[in-house]
Amino acid sequence: MDTIFALATAHGKAGVSVIRISGALAWGAGSRLCGSLPSSHKAALRNLRDAENELVDQALVLSFEDRRSFTGEPVVEFHLHGSTAIVSRVMQLLGSVDGLRLADPGEFTRRALENGKLDLAQVEGLSDLIEAETEAQRKQAVRVLAGQLGRIAEVWRSDLIRAASLLEATIDFADEDVPVDVTPEVLELLVRTQAVISKEAESVKTAERIRTGFEVAIIGAPNIGKSTLLNAIAGRDAAITSEYAGTTRDVIEVKLDLNGLAVTLLDTAGLRETDDFVEKIGIERAISRAHSADMRVFLKETRDAKTPFAALLGDLEVVGKADLAVGTDGLSVSGVTGQGVDSLVAEISKTLLDRASNAGIATRERHREALLLSTRYLSAARDGLDLGPDHYDVVAEDLRSAIRALNSLIGRVDVENLLDEIFSSFCLGK
């Protein structure tokens, strides 16, 4: 396998830039530039020199021996002064070493997967951690990167392997008297495992929203103050406001961090009957996005005014233009004066945080599909178990299929078609 190298930090000037080398030739290439390497997992100051013995930089050098590095291969890191000229020169020198080549995107992490240092879920967690912009996203990604999904999947696998082995022992001794009926223990294992897997599958949608962001749509009639409210929450003029109805034609999105949650606030076209073709398209888009959003804020003229369509659990009904209203009860807001805006934001945050508290460890649609596939095989196994010992061979095969589905969850089988897509999103130094 080739020895690879890449800049592991962002391009451009910085206090420190890190270049990483991984592979069988890493230590030799490192020694070529700095003379001698520190012992594994130790850092030392070294002068980096080119073939003419000219000083290139004074760098902090770290080395990691085989099987004890991030990639599972011998690794060397140069922590350089963050000059673009220094980085360029060191990269040039490494590129001239026979057997070394520039890493492909995500190749360091891919080698960590292939060498058993990470499972596939951990790789996805690392990708999410790099992309994390909010505290909730960071916490979720750290849990996955720490291997929590792999650990709970291993518990499920162990229980299903136990159940399958009990059945197969019965099959092996089908012609003899088996003193113990294994059916009750097998059924208990299947029922318990299917329940927890199903629960985890149900929580994926919420976990995925933490990762990608919740959507909150502001809905209401024209000129009720939707765009002004959006601007007040965003703290900038994100949407055009005017006294004329129908000003907002398309859905306007503003990304926010609300108490650590990534939230996209949607300003939508005012809902009314209209003959204007373009406005009618905007209203159709508004209704469509509102239905698909995680939460809706209905702005109304009065507390008793009807909502344009049925509110769902967690939606908020709010009186708009509170600065002009008289004697409003309950939650009311004014984007002009700011009245009630903080209370509204607090209510939105509380609702979404309550939902986020139910999120599990699995975070992606791929995870959900693997979990659901496993539960389908477990349902088939339980049905077969009811038919008696003559069907135990079929039940055992259903259990093996359920185990394979869990294996794909953490990358043990059937994931080659996913790898290129996953690692293409990584930078060269990862």
Side-chain angles (χ1 to χ4, degrees), residues 21-44:
I21 316 168
S22 180
L25 303 180
W27 282 29
S31 299
R32 179 169 174 171
L33 267 69
C34 68
S36 64
L37 296 175
S39 56
S40 182
H41 291 74
K42 303 291 184 181

Side-chain angles (χ1 to χ4, degrees), residues 33-298:
L33 267 69
C34 68
S36 64
L37 296 175
S39 56
S40 182
H41 291 74
K42 303 291 184 181
L45 197 63
R46 294 286 190 270
N47 290 327
L48 305 188
R49 297 182 180 276
D50 61 17
E52 286 72 40
N53 204 37
E54 181 179 348
L55 181 65
V56 177
D57 189 27
Q58 190 175 62
L60 191 67
V61 179
L62 293 89
S63 64
F64 304 89
E65 62 189 1
D66 189 29
R67 307 307 302 173
R68 295 186 63 206
S69 69
F70 170 72
T71 61
E73 302 173 331
V75 167
V76 173
E77 290 184 356
F78 295 131
H79 293 231
L80 311 165
H81 293 98
S83 157
T84 55
I86 292 173
V87 170
S88 178
R89 181 59 176 152
V90 174
M91 294 287 282
Q92 183 183 44
L93 291 173
L94 291 175
S96 67
V97 177
D98 289 341
L100 266 65
R101 65 168 174 82
L102 189 64
D104 293 328
E107 190 168 4
F108 288 96
T109 307
R110 185 162 187 161
R111 291 190 177 194
L113 173 68
E114 292 169 347
N115 291 325
K117 306 298 286 187
L118 298 173
D119 63 38
L120 186 59
Q122 288 178 292
V123 169
E124 292 167 326
L126 176 58
S127 176
D128 292 341
L129 185 59
I130 293 170
E131 297 294 329
E133 297 179 341
T134 70
E135 182 65 3
Q137 290 173 332
R138 182 195 67 79
K139 288 181 178 179
Q140 183 183 70
V142 166
R143 286 198 301 270
V144 179
L145 177 58
Q148 287 192 21
L149 183 57
R151 284 193 290 274
I152 62 172
E154 187 59 36
V155 172
W156 301 334
R157 290 181 69 257
S158 296
D159 284 346
L160 296 183
I161 290 171
R162 167 69 178 169
S165 65
L166 288 171
L167 291 176
E168 287 167 354
T170 301
I171 295 169
D172 290 341
F173 294 97
D175 296 332
E176 303 177 22
D177 291 332
V178 180
V180 178
D181 181 7
V182 301
T183 306
E185 182 178 354
V186 171
L187 182 59
E188 192 274 332
L189 288 168
L190 299 193
V191 170
R192 183 180 68 208
T193 304
Q194 186 176 18
V196 292
I197 293 177
S198 297
K199 183 178 179 180
E200 187 66 35
E202 291 171 0
S203 70
V204 170
K205 292 291 186 182
T206 301
E208 192 168 28
R209 278 308 199 192
I210 294 175
R211 185 172 65 85
T212 61
F214 291 92
E215 286 192 348
V216 178
I218 303 175
I219 301 295
N223 275 347
I224 195 61
K226 298 184 300 299
S227 297
T228 305
L229 176 60
L230 177 85
N231 291 341
I233 296 175
R236 60 185 176 87
D237 291 336
I240 298 173
T241 61
S242 80
E243 62 191 54
Y244 301 105
T247 299
T248 302
R249 298 297 181 92
D250 207 347
V251 177
I252 297 172
E253 302 182 2
V254 174
K255 295 184 181 298
L256 304 170
D257 181 339
L258 296 185
N259 285 335
L261 293 178
V263 177
T264 299
L265 206 58
L266 308 177
D267 178 27
T268 60
L271 305 185
R272 65 170 182 174
E273 295 294 330
T274 180
D275 294 327
D276 186 303
F277 178 73
V278 176
E279 185 182 358
K280 186 177 294 185
I281 294 176
I283 292 171
E284 290 173 353
R285 290 183 178 179
I287 295 173
S288 175
R289 287 299 295 275
H291 280 303
S292 64
D294 301 287
M295 180 180 179
R296 286 142 292 277
V297 175
F298 293 99

Side-chain angles (χ1 to χ4, degrees), residues 327-343:
T328 57
D329 297 324
L331 186 58
S332 58
V333 296
S334 169
V336 174
T337 66
Q339 177 183 337
V341 172
D342 288 345
S343 297

